Amino acid sequence: MFKIVEKEALNPTVTKMVVEAPLVARKAQPGQFIIYRASEDGERVPLTIADYDREKGTVTIIFQIVGGSTMELNTLNVGDSLVDFVGPLGMPSHLDGLKKVAVVGGGVGCAIAYPTAKRLHELGAEVHSIIGFRNQDLVILEKEFEAVSTRVVKMSDDGSWGEKGLVTNALEKLIEEGNQYDEVIAIGPIIMMKFVSELTKKHNIKTMVSMNPIMIDGTGMCGGCRLTVGGETKFACVDGPDFDGHLVDFDEAMHRGGMYRDFEKHAREAECNLLKKEVE
Amino acid sequence: MPNMDPKKCPMPVQDPEVRNKNFDEVALGYTYEMAVEEAKRCLNCKHKPCQNGCPVGIDIPAFIGKVAEEDMEGAFEILSASSALPAVCGRVCPQETQCEGKCVRGIKHEPVGIGRLERFVADWHREHSSEKPKMPEQNGIKVAVIGSGPSGLTAAGDLAKMGYKVTVYEALHTAGGVLVYGIPEFRLPKEIVRQEIDGLRAIGVDVETDVVIGRTLTIDELFDMGNEAVFIGSGAGLPRFMGIPGESLNGVYSANEFLTRINLMKAYKPDSKTPIQHAKNVAIVGGGNVAMDAARCAKRLGAENVYIVYRRGMEELPARREEIEHAEEEGIIFKTLSNPIEVLGDENGYVKGMVCQEMELGEPDASGRRRPVPKEGATFTLDVDCMVMSIGTSPNPLIRSTTPGLETNKHGCIITNGDDGLTTREAVYAGGDAVTGAATVILAMGAGKHAAKAIDAYLKEKHGK
C-alpha cells in the first residue's frame, strides 16, 4: 500500500498528490512515469512523475480529473493509500549536454514539463519555458516555472492570462527573434505536440515529445501503447515515452487514444453517480 | 484387482453452448467415486514410465495408489513433495505428450487420467484439509526470485522448503505470471492460483508485487540487499506483431493485451473499470494455445463469429488437441492455410476487415513442419472488427539491458549452462521462457526445480556445508 502524504488542488480539475513510495523515489528521473491502481477493482493508469524526494521516499504526481479512474483517485485524501504504485517506468529524458532549450507545456502537460525544465536548470542550461492553458482558471505551476526558467512566456486561448494565443505562436516568435535552441521539448495534448513538431521541422530544430498512449502493464508485455515512429513500431512504455517529434505518427496516435471513448464516457458517468450517492 | 476399463473415466464438463457464454471453469473435475475408480486403472508398473514423462518427476503410481486406497491426504503429500502447484498442473499440463503419453495403459487403450487425478487430489486437499503447512527450518540465507510465474514459484517453493529465505519480485499487481494474466478463468480459476501462492507464503516465501526488476531494482541491487543467489524467471512476455499495413488500427490487439485485459483486469465483467472491445467478428491470428485461449475468450465476450486464422493446416496447429476440440465445440471457425497481409480500416480508424493470402504447404522447413507458401493470386477478405495477434512472444529486454555480464542469444533468451540454469553471471540462475522462449507451464516448473537444486548446491559449497 502506498500512503498519500500530501494533496493539493492546483486548479478545479488538476490535483497534486505526494505519495510514499521509497523504491520509486530512489530511482525516479525526469521523463519517467508510474502506474497506479487506486483500489482493488481499479484499472491501471499511467501518470508521469512530477517530482520526487529521495530522502523522504516520496513521489509527486499531478493529474487532471478526466474520467472514472482519476475521479476515483481524487476521492482519496491524505492518510489514505493507493493499492498499487509501480515504477519508475519508461526511459529517462536525455537532458545532459543541452545548453539552450525551449520547454513547451500545454495544460496538465505542464506537470510533466516542469521536472524537465527544473532538471535542465540544475544542469546549467538556459531554459525558455512556454506554458499555455485554456484560461486563467486552469493555470498550474506558474511560480515553479518562473523559478527554473531564464524566460517564461505565458499563453492562454482566451487571453485571460498572459498573452492570447497558442504555444506555437509564442515559440514561433521566439525563434524569429533569433533564439537558437539545441532542442525543443514539447509536452501536452497530442495535437499541440504535433503542431509544435511541424513548426520546428520547418526551422530544423530537434524536438522531443512525451507521448501518452493508452497503457495497461507499462512494462512492455502487451503493446497496447504502440506508436509508429520513423516507420517502426515502438512501445511507448519501454522505448519511450520520449520520442523525436519529427518522426512520430501523431494522427495514428490520436486515433488510438480515442479507442475506448464510449466506454470512458460511461465510466465517468458511473463514477459521478457513485460520488453523488456518497454525498447524499 | 485393477479396473480394466479401456477408456478413461470421462470428466464432466459444461455443455459447449452454455459454457461459450460464461467464464466459469469448463471442466468440472472428478467426483470422489470417479477418482477412486480411475485410480484403480493404474497397473502400478515397477519401472514407472509415467514418472519419466513428468518434467518434475512426480511419483505417479505412488500417489495414484493412495487415491485407490482412498487416502487423499497421503496422495497429496506425495504430489506436493515434487510439485509446488499440483492444482494448476493437473489442469494445464499437456499430459498427452508427458506423463500420460508414457502410460502403459495407453499402448492399447486410453492412458490413466493422471492429470485429472492430480487435479482431484489437489482440489480435495484445498477443500478438506485445515492443516497448516509446516514452516521449514530456516538457514538464514537469502535468495531472490524474479518473476512469479510457474518457474519462479516452483524455484521459490523448493528453496523455501530447503530453508532459504526467499523473496519473489513481481512487476504486476498480482502474482502468478501467465497463470493470472494469460490462461483464462475458464481453464484455470484464478482463485486456485491465489490459494497455491498463499500456500507458498505459508512456508515463508515473501511475494513483493509492483516491483519491476530492471527499473525499480536491478539484479546488482538484489545482491547489495543481501541475497546470495538470484533466479530469473521473468518469462517471454514481449509480443510480436506481423508488420503488415493497418496493424495500428483500433481493434488490433496483441494476444497478451487482449488476455491481460480479460484475465488480470477482469474486463469481461460488466462492472469492470478496464475496457475491452466487444466485437462482432473477431480474427485470432496464430494457432497455438494462446490463440485458442484468445478465441474462446472472444466468443465468451459475445462475438458472433470468431476465426482462427493460421498459415498452415489443421494438422500443423501447435495447440493442444484438447484445446482445439474445445474451441471447435464452442463454435470457433478455423480458417487454416490463410495468412493476413493487410488490415483494413474504416474512416474512424477502426478495423473493418482483413485481407488474407491463401497458402499451400510446401517442403518441410528447419522445424520439420511443411512450409506454407503463398498461392499465386489467391486472396480473400474477411469481415472482422477486431484482430488479435497471437504469433508468439520473446523475452523482455528490461533485465538483460540493466544487468552487466548477463549474456543472451540473438532471440534475447538468457544463455544458461545446461540443466542447472546457471547464467554467465556468478550466482545468477535462470529458467522457463526467459531461457527457452515461449514454452509450457510444466517445462518452466521443471526449470525452476532444477535451478533450485543447483542454487542449493552452490550455496552449500559457498557456506562450507
Side-chain angles (χ1 to χ4, degrees):
Chain A
M1 301 287 267
F2 301 85
K3 202 165 125 195
I4 298 164
V5 291
E6 269 179 57
K7 182 184 176 189
E8 182 190 345
L10 297 185
N11 75 30
T13 63
V14 176
T15 301
K16 173 177 144 181
M17 264 182 189
V18 181
V19 179
E20 251 177 32
L23 287 180
V24 186
R26 220 164 56 90
K27 279 288 179 63
Q29 293 181 64
Q32 292 188 299
F33 64 96
I34 56 96
I35 284 192
Y36 78 87
R37 281 197 319 150
S39 65
E40 273 307 332
D41 62 349
E43 67 174 332
R44 295 172 67 96
V45 183
L47 286 177
T48 304
I49 294 168
D51 207 348
Y52 45 82
D53 186 323
R54 301 207 200 284
E55 276 173 17
K56 286 190 191 145
T58 59
V59 173
T60 304
I61 49 174
I62 294 178
F63 60 95
Q64 189 165 21
I65 305 155
V66 286
S69 291
T70 40
M71 276 182 198
E72 184 191 15
L73 179 60
N74 200 44
T75 61
L76 300 181
N77 291 307
V78 172
D80 294 339
S81 292
L82 283 74
V83 294
D84 299 292
F85 194 87
V86 56
L89 301 169
M91 301 291 280
S93 303
H94 293 290
L95 304 175
D96 290 337
L98 298 174
K99 296 276 180 294
K100 184 168 177 178
V101 184
V103 176
V104 186
V108 75
C110 290
I112 312 164
Y114 168 66
T116 302
K118 181 180 163 196
R119 180 73 189 140
L120 284 164
H121 179 71
E122 285 167 5
L123 291 168
E126 184 179 348
V127 179
H128 289 185
S129 296
I130 304 166
I131 50 177
F133 300 93
R134 277 212 309 280
N135 60 54
Q136 188 168 20
D137 298 338
L138 301 178
V139 172
I140 57 169
L141 302 171
E142 184 179 357
K143 292 270 171 311
E144 284 84 348
F145 271 103
E146 281 171 353
V148 299
S149 311
T150 322
R151 198 167 162 184
V152 183
V153 184
K154 303 168 187 178
M155 304 296 289
S156 60
D157 293 3
D158 63 355
S160 57
W161 176 79
E163 289 172 51
K164 182 176 157 88
L166 302 172
V167 289
T168 39
N169 304 134
L171 179 62
E172 186 149 38
K173 214 165 132 194
L174 286 173
I175 295 169
E176 279 165 4
E177 276 174 21
N179 284 297
Q180 306 245 349
Y181 297 114
D182 299 336
E183 199 171 300
V184 170
I185 299 174
I187 305 166
I190 297 180
I191 188 82
M192 176 213 111
M193 295 191 286
K194 177 185 169 176
F195 284 123
V196 168
S197 300
E198 283 179 2
L199 171 67
T200 56
K201 195 161 188 185
K202 269 197 311 210
H203 296 277
N204 208 14
I205 308 168
K206 187 181 176 199
T207 299
M208 295 303 285
V209 295
S210 178
M211 298 302 287
N212 48 8
I214 293 172
M215 287 187 189
I216 301 103
D217 61 290
T219 63
M221 64 167 262
C222 87
C225 66
R226 65 192 186 275
L227 302 163
T228 306
V229 181
E232 282 178 50
T233 297
K234 297 278 180 191
F235 292 1
C237 71
V238 288
D239 301 318
D242 291 356
F243 292 100
D244 182 337
H246 296 158
L247 299 177
V248 171
D249 185 336
F250 288 104
D251 294 336
E252 177 191 288
M254 262 183 278
H255 274 307
R256 288 185 61 79
M259 170 140 182
Y260 296 104
R261 199 159 283 146
D262 291 346
F263 180 95
E264 286 160 358
K265 187 162 168 272
H266 177 78
R268 187 167 55 231
E269 282 161 8
E271 191 69 31
C272 279
N273 289 337
L274 201 71
L275 294 176
K276 245 184 259 157
K277 250 183 244 156
E278 279 170 12
V279 171
E280 284 161 10
Chain B
M1 183 60 206
N3 167 2
M4 292 312 289
D5 192 329
K7 284 191 179 286
K8 271 187 212 180
C9 171
M11 178 146 59
V13 293
Q14 277 197 71
D15 181 78
E17 279 306 311
V18 174
R19 72 181 192 234
N20 69 10
K21 292 171 192 66
N22 68 50
F23 277 81
D24 299 339
E25 194 171 17
V26 166
L28 302 171
Y30 278 164
T31 62
Y32 191 95
E33 291 72 26
M34 288 172 184
V36 174
E37 270 310 296
E38 182 63 22
K40 287 179 181 161
R41 290 185 64 232
C42 175
L43 302 176
N44 195 15
C45 309
K46 287 281 164 291
H47 61 304
K48 305 179 183 181
C50 50
Q51 186 172 8
N52 296 328
C54 173
V56 296
I58 293 172
D59 188 345
I60 291 166
F63 103 79
I64 292 182
K66 293 284 182 193
V67 178
E69 289 167 20
E70 303 191 34
D71 173 7
M72 301 308 171
E73 212 41 38
F76 180 78
E77 259 170 48
I78 295 167
L79 269 183
S80 56
S82 305
S83 171
L85 311 163
V88 172
C89 291
R91 285 172 165 84
V92 304
C93 273
Q95 287 101 3
E96 67 273 22
T97 59
Q98 296 175 337
C99 54
E100 292 182 23
K102 298 269 166 69
C103 175
V104 168
R105 292 291 309 263
I107 296 170
K108 281 196 178 150
H109 303 292
E110 285 190 3
V112 176
I114 299 167
R116 295 166 181 192
L117 289 170
E118 179 183 20
R119 167 188 165 143
F120 172 80
V121 171
D123 288 356
W124 190 91
H125 170 80
R126 199 176 55 250
E127 282 153 24
H128 293 87
S129 170
S130 56
E131 209 176 307
K132 287 238 167 67
K134 278 192 289 285
M135 190 74 170
E137 201 178 313
Q138 301 288 299
N139 63 20
I141 302 171
K142 284 170 72 176
V143 179
V145 169
I146 303 170
S148 65
S151 72
L153 292 179
T154 303
D158 281 15
L159 288 163
K161 283 179 194 163
M162 297 169 193
Y164 294 95
K165 182 67 208 149
V166 182
T167 308
V168 180
Y169 293 97
E170 167 57 46
L172 291 172
H173 58 263
T174 308
V178 76
L179 307 176
V180 294
Y181 76 75
I183 301 174
E185 187 77 21
F186 56 80
R187 280 216 290 139
L188 178 62
K190 301 307 147 219
E191 182 57 20
I192 287 170
V193 181
R194 195 184 63 78
Q195 292 190 16
E196 299 243 37
I197 292 168
D198 284 349
L200 293 182
R201 285 200 172 95
I203 57 168
V205 174
D206 278 335
V207 182
E208 298 273 356
T209 54
D210 291 339
V211 180
V212 185
I213 302 299
R215 291 266 189 250
T216 316
L217 292 169
T218 62
I219 287 186
D220 290 294
E221 286 169 318
L222 293 176
F223 283 110
D224 294 344
M225 289 158 67
N227 291 292
E228 297 189 38
V230 171
F231 174 76
I232 307 172
S234 50
L238 191 76
R240 284 193 207 122
F241 288 92
M242 294 186 80
I244 57 175
E247 232 172 351
S248 300
L249 288 162
N250 286 352
V252 182
Y253 292 93
S254 72
N256 265 9
E257 179 183 356
F258 192 68
L259 291 172
T260 299
R261 284 179 181 272
I262 293 169
N263 301 323
L264 180 69
M265 305 311 296
K266 312 262 176 264
Y268 64 88
K269 293 189 175 171
D271 59 350
S272 165
K273 289 181 176 162
T274 299
I276 186 107
Q277 193 188 6
H278 290 260
K280 251 192 179 160
N281 301 298
V282 183
I284 316 290
V285 182
N289 288 319
V290 176
M292 300 306 140
D293 285 344
R296 297 170 71 193
C297 281
K299 190 81 188 173
R300 284 162 171 78
L301 286 173
E304 285 167 22
N305 297 299
V306 180
Y307 306 98
I308 291 277
V309 178
Y310 180 59
R311 61 198 183 121
R312 291 183 163 99
M314 282 307 280
E315 288 308 305
E316 286 78 21
L317 282 168
R320 288 180 65 189
R321 273 305 116 186
E322 189 185 320
E323 300 307 321
I324 297 166
E325 281 163 21
H326 277 156
E328 284 182 314
E329 285 166 12
E330 290 168 15
I332 309 298
I333 304 157
F334 286 74
K335 291 265 182 204
T336 52
L337 293 168
S338 305
N339 197 32
I341 51 175
E342 187 182 355
V343 191
L344 305 172
D346 66 13
E347 63 282 7
N348 297 318
Y350 283 80
V351 175
K352 69 165 184 185
M354 63 193 270
V355 183
C356 293
Q357 167 73 54
E358 283 184 35
M359 309 295 278
E360 53 197 356
L361 292 178
E363 295 302 308
D365 64 11
S367 74
R369 292 182 301 174
R370 293 179 64 192
R371 202 164 57 87
V373 257
K375 227 193 246 179
E376 194 72 39
T379 61
F380 65 96
T381 302
L382 205 56
D383 288 336
V384 291
D385 47 357
C386 177
M387 258 176 93
V388 180
M389 295 297 181
S390 179
I391 52 173
T393 54
S394 52
N396 192 304
L398 258 187
I399 289 174
R400 66 173 185 259
S401 65
T402 55
T403 310
L406 187 72
E407 283 175 29
T408 53
N409 68 18
K410 64 175 196 270
H411 303 293
C413 300
I414 297 170
I415 294 169
T416 57
N417 163 31
D419 278 353
D420 64 3
L422 179 63
T423 68
T424 49
R425 278 275 308 258
E426 195 194 344
V428 178
Y429 295 75
D433 289 3
V435 170
T436 58
T440 62
V441 168
I442 190 74
L443 282 174
M445 291 186 55
K449 221 170 176 56
H450 285 125
K453 229 184 235 168
I455 290 170
D456 180 48
Y458 162 77
L459 291 173
K460 278 209 172 105
E461 193 182 319
K462 183 180 166 192
H463 288 267
K465 282 177 194 167

